[in-house]
Amino acid sequence: MSVNLRTVYAFAREMYPKKVKGDIQYGTAGFRTKAENLDYVMYRMGLLATLRSRLKDGAVIGVMITASHNPEPDNGVKLVDPLGEMLEARWEKLATRLVNVSDQELESEIAAVIREENVCISAKSTVFVGMDNRYHSPRLLKAVCDGVVALKGSVKDFGILTTPMLHYLVVAANTRGGYGVPTEEGYYKKIITAFQNIRGTTYTRGNYTNRVYFDGANGVGARKMLQFLKRMDSGLDVVVFNSGEGKINHECGADYVKVQQKAPAGMPEIEANGRCVSVDGDADRVVYFFTDENNCFHLLDGDRIATLVADYLMELVRACNINLRMGLVQTAYANGASTDYIEHQLRVPVACVPTGVKHLHHKALEYDIGVYFEANGHGTVIFSQNAKEIIKKAAEDEKLVNFSSIFKVFSLKNFFFCSLNEEQRSAAKTFLQIIDLINETVGDAISDMLLVETVLLAKGWCLKDWVNTYADLPNLQLKVSVADRNVITTTDAERICVTPEGLQEEINSLVAKYPRARAFVRPSGTEDVVRVYAEAESKEDTAVLAHEVAAAVHRLAGGVGNSPEIPRQFLNSHY
């Protein structure tokens, strides 16, 4: 195969010239900015994905065009590695280099990547491409495809997908069907079959009812949920709204519900305590919520989903009478009450990592069962090959190596052979179906929703039962515009601010003023803002603390515009 890099440059100059002067950075979610500034970025990511595939011996690489929970004018792109992971960190840097060079330097930069990474330019290369339903996504998808073709790679365009669907397709193709059939229909069949096998013909139990209201954020998740419903039996009654009649993520979706702490616009009239769920624009985040009979709003976010799922999986481990090491991974955004509940009530080890699914996913791989969810509702469960083999053996065999304590480290003195009874084998068979129900490759809003519905039915719980497991600490997130977000650096999984000097000391003194308080700051991965998180025992203390920390950031980190001010309604009670 002969690739002419001069042609690559000429095509870029003619069709996808770089018109943006400033540099952009491959962040936690790839490149993301205004759609009109992304054509050249997409073309270059098509080039990079082709090289990445060749480096991986022709394994499929995914390219997803989406801005996730961002507003409609934005778009973005991120690459998916062969096992469904986010792009390797070293290649994130290569992506940033490639995007920021001038048109004249593009040819030499591509040559440098080939040389540095020892890419065989004549090797086979396959790239899967998908997009969300923003009106500018088809144009940007074509730019990616042109980049692949320019380097004589093979590209397969799947059109409109959720982000988790693309991750599934990449892994299914690279495992030659071992994870599932690498088609959209294969994705639906795997998840629906598992869900219906677990659910059986019992659709209600205890306080659990069969109806759920689904806020699709006017994004691709609404479309795909409707496709699920066409293929499912009547086992789950889903009312879909915000299905595309409005702007994507505008006053709706998981991010809006989580941050604003209120129900989305566009909701139909529903009964008090009705079970509601919101996904984001590309359907990789999910949160639950309800409004009670006193018109009080209640949110069940990623922290809640993590505790619910971890509790259920622990019950299955015990029911199977097997030994598997479980861990739950959170970020600094996790509510302190959830961490306390997990550690002291569920007695599951908790690890804290920096924000970004790639960090949670990597840490979760250290466990036999790794549960991870960000508070924003992005998460999944990963099962080690060891866990799958043990569960499969329990489901199929009457003999199983057993251990004296569920959470003890394996040692020869702990095991013995025992016969499993029918109840234990049945639990193991359910466990295998749960594994198929979960999209292990990445957080999947629809798969996660069906998992939550499965657990709630098994427990016979309504959302009130779920929310009563523990009381969240009031929390608040703010954004502070700064001239340069890179002046903020952090350590200890982003919980401690290193620079600018003096900011962490001021945060510590502010936090010390309030009971059960905690606060941290971190730079955005996509824009020049600093994100502020605060929680405390009361809503009033939380609001004041958040604004005090935001004001400190504005003062010490080069704030732009007016300094944040404490809301008037809280001034009298605190000053």
Side-chain angles (χ1 to χ4, degrees), residues 104-121:
Q104 290 72 24
E105 297 170 305
L106 181 59
E107 179 185 347
S108 61
E109 187 62 35
I110 288 288
V113 172
I114 293 170
R115 183 177 60 256
E116 292 171 13
E117 299 298 319
N118 196 25
V119 176
C120 177
I121 197 64

Side-chain angles (χ1 to χ4, degrees), residues 413-433:
K413 66 180 181 180
N414 283 336
F415 71 80
F416 57 91
F417 285 97
C418 70
S419 295
L420 297 182
N421 59 39
E422 182 58 36
E423 185 177 341
Q424 290 166 337
R425 288 195 297 272
S426 176
K429 290 174 182 177
T430 298
F431 217 147
L432 289 178
Q433 294 293 331

Side-chain angles (χ1 to χ4, degrees), residues 25-38:
Q25 185 176 351
Y26 196 104
T28 55
F31 295 110
R32 193 175 295 176
T33 187
K34 299 299 181 187
E36 62 264 27
N37 297 329
L38 279 170

